[in-house]
């Protein structure tokens, strides 16, 4: 067992969070992760408030363990979704893709722990002052919407800059990653792509198979010209999107091109037209396993590794 202050803060057994991926992190996955002793997080994405409310209730019916909801700041329903988290007494709220400052005090009054995803030292500092309970420092090795600093340099800089616990994200998929994150001063890891390749994840089988097949250079980034780049598996859709970046098209043209492509990947499994958002950890993922087995594997690998580190250094 690896216990860190994160386990006490969140009431979990293992210092592992499952990223709140839009369309992918459904109640089935969230409940399985929380039941396995890590923190399952619902991906609210752009979903309308009534759907998020129904999904939160579904999670509560499936598990009595702590869980979270991820609210991306670009959702057209941010305030309503935050209100649902307040009303439903969601234990942990993570945020992404923007600055959640205006929502922190309301959530905290309702007893929620607020854990924003940040991609820079500056925003980590600002959110600590605004009352965040912890931050998830996400490097650009991760999938989906990314910042511009790699995980390895970002995490220790955030650890040095704030007094609240720091969770590392971006590139983690095994016990070696968890051990490395702890060495950087983080209290745990958040993994996204690794959780897609589990039996309980409801994403299309083609999504899971494409991740297992992908190697170290399996992803590319696109959307830089829009100011919010996205990392996804290399496929015809991703290549065309990356080409459009170079053509300096109008923002609405690029946005229109991206709309609905994540759903096409997750729900339809459309390998040509879908946007299969995934992190660089895809090269480390070789199987589709039950959530509980994967978490156990990660934790015991990290444990063995940390125990054997003195011999490893001695050579
Ligand atoms: O949010 C994510 N990952 C995501 S969201 C998403 S859905 C999407 N669809 C189409 C286009 C774009 C996204 C897929 N993946 N991760 C958390 C994250 N947050 N990564 C980076 C950031 C971030 C970036 C800038 C957080 C704050 C931030 O602040 C800017 C500011 O306002 O100061």
């Amino acid at each position: 067992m690896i216990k860190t202050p994160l386990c006490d803060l969140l009431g979990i057994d293992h210092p592992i969070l499952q990223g709140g991926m839009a369309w992918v992190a459904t109640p089935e996955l969230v409940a399985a992760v929380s039941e396995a002793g890590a923190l399952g997080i619902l991906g609210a994405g752009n979903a309308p408030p009534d759907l998020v409310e129904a999904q939160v209730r579904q999670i509560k019916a499936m598990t009595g363990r702590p869980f979270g909801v991820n609210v991306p700041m670009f959702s057209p329903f941010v305030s309503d979704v935050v209100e649902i988290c307040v009303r439903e007494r969601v234990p942990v709220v993570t945020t992404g893709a923007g600055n959640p400052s205006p929502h922190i005090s309301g959530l905290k009054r309702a007893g929620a722990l607020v854990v924003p995803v940040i991609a820079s030292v500056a925003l980590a500092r600002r959110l600590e002052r605004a009352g965040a309970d912890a931050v998830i420092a996400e490097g650009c090795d991760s999938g989906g919407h990314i910042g511009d600093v790699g995980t390895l340099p970002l995490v220790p800089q955030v650890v040095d800059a704030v007094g609240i616990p720091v969770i590392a994200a971006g590139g983690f998929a095994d016990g070696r990653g968890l051990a490395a994150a702890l060495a950087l001063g983080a209290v745990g890891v958040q993994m996204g792509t690794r959780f897609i390749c589990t039996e309980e994840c409801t994403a299309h089988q083609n999504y899971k198979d494409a991740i297992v097949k992908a190697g170290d250079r399996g992803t590319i980034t696109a959307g830089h010209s829009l100011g919010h780049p996205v990392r996804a598996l290399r496929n015809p859709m991703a290549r065309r999107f990356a080409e459009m970046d170079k053509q300096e098209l109008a923002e609405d043209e690029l946005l229109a091109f991206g709309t609905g492509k994540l759903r096409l990947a997750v729900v339809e499994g459309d390998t040509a037209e879908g946007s299969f958002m995934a992190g660089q950890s895809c090269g480390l993922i070789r199987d589709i396993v039950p959530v509980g087995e994967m978490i156990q594997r990660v934790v015991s690998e990290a444990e063995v590794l940390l125990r054997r580190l003195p011999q490893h250094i001695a050579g």
Side-chain angles (χ1 to χ4, degrees), residues 221-230 241-242 244-245 254:
T221 63
H224 296 269
S225 58
L226 282 174
H228 31 86
V230 167
F241 198 22
M244 288 170 87
D245 247 355
L254 273 165

Side-chain angles (χ1 to χ4, degrees), residues 20-23 45-46 70-74 95-100 116-120 122-123 126-127 136 138-140 142-148 190 226-231 241 255 258-260 262 275 277:
M21 301 162 281
W23 289 100
N46 281 335
N70 175 261
V71 189
M73 291 298 110
F74 58 70
T95 66
N99 184 348
V117 178
I118 52 89
S120 70
L123 190 57
R126 213 175 314 149
L127 292 173
I136 301 168
E138 188 187 273
C140 61
S142 89
H145 173 62
I146 51 172
D148 49 17
Q190 173 168 280
L226 282 174
H228 31 86
V230 167
R231 182 182 298 285
F241 198 22
L255 282 173
T259 303
L262 179 60
S275 175
M277 294 183 186

Side-chain angles (χ1 to χ4, degrees), residues 51-119:
L51 176 59
V52 178
E53 184 177 48
Q55 290 183 315
V56 166
R57 290 181 181 168
Q58 200 181 333
I59 295 165
K60 284 180 181 169
M62 293 168 88
T63 182
R65 312 283 306 250
F67 67 95
V69 173
N70 175 261
V71 189
M73 291 298 110
F74 58 70
S75 162
F77 307 112
V78 172
S79 297
D80 290 343
V81 172
V82 166
E83 187 48 43
I84 281 161
C85 294
V86 165
R87 228 174 34 228
E88 290 291 324
R89 297 272 185 257
V90 170
V92 182
V93 174
T94 66
T95 66
N99 184 348
S101 292
H103 308 288
I104 293 181
S105 62
L107 283 165
K108 291 197 59 92
R109 268 198 307 276
L113 292 164
V114 182
V115 185
V117 178
I118 52 89

Side-chain angles (χ1 to χ4, degrees), residues 6-274:
L6 184 65
C7 299
D8 294 329
L9 179 69
L10 303 180
I12 55 179
D13 301 331
H14 311 299
I16 296 174
L17 275 60
Q18 161 257 308
M21 301 162 281
W23 289 100
V24 169
T26 59
E28 290 83 354
L29 178 63
V30 175
V33 174
S34 289
E35 280 291 300
L39 190 79
I41 302 177
L42 179 73
N46 281 335
D50 53 345
L51 176 59
V52 178
E53 184 177 48
Q55 290 183 315
V56 166
R57 290 181 181 168
Q58 200 181 333
I59 295 165
K60 284 180 181 169
M62 293 168 88
T63 182
R65 312 283 306 250
F67 67 95
V69 173
N70 175 261
V71 189
M73 291 298 110
F74 58 70
S75 162
F77 307 112
V78 172
S79 297
D80 290 343
V81 172
V82 166
E83 187 48 43
I84 281 161
C85 294
V86 165
R87 228 174 34 228
E88 290 291 324
R89 297 272 185 257
V90 170
V92 182
V93 174
T94 66
T95 66
N99 184 348
S101 292
H103 308 288
I104 293 181
S105 62
L107 283 165
K108 291 197 59 92
R109 268 198 307 276
L113 292 164
V114 182
V115 185
V117 178
I118 52 89
S120 70
V121 167
L123 190 57
R125 280 210 179 98
R126 213 175 314 149
L127 292 173
E128 177 178 38
R129 283 198 300 272
D133 295 283
V135 288
I136 301 168
E138 188 187 273
C140 61
D141 318 22
S142 89
H145 173 62
I146 51 172
D148 49 17
V149 184
T151 304
L152 195 54
L154 179 68
V155 172
Q157 290 181 77
V158 174
V159 167
D160 286 346
V162 298
I164 51 178
V166 177
I167 298 138
F172 297 101
D174 61 19
R176 293 170 294 183
L178 173 55
L182 300 177
L184 294 176
V187 291
V189 294
Q190 173 168 280
M191 302 190 291
T193 310
R194 177 62 270 198
F195 277 105
I196 301 178
C197 292
T198 60
E199 284 176 8
E200 293 88 342
C201 176
T202 54
H204 198 283
Q205 188 65 34
N206 290 352
Y207 207 141
K208 302 179 186 184
D209 292 344
I211 292 170
V212 169
K213 226 173 101 190
D216 55 343
R217 303 186 61 240
T219 69
I220 52 174
T221 63
H224 296 269
S225 58
L226 282 174
H228 31 86
V230 167
R231 182 182 298 285
L233 294 181
R234 210 184 273 273
N235 72 346
M237 153 69 194
R239 279 197 205 92
R240 254 186 300 139
F241 198 22
E243 277 306 310
M244 288 170 87
D245 247 355
K246 291 183 202 149
Q247 293 161 14
E248 289 179 15
L249 297 175
E251 182 169 333
D252 53 349
E253 262 180 286
L254 273 165
L255 282 173
F257 182 74
T259 303
K261 298 295 194 287
L262 179 60
R263 189 196 152 277
L264 264 188
V266 180
V267 181
E268 312 288 339
D270 185 336
T271 51
E273 296 300 319

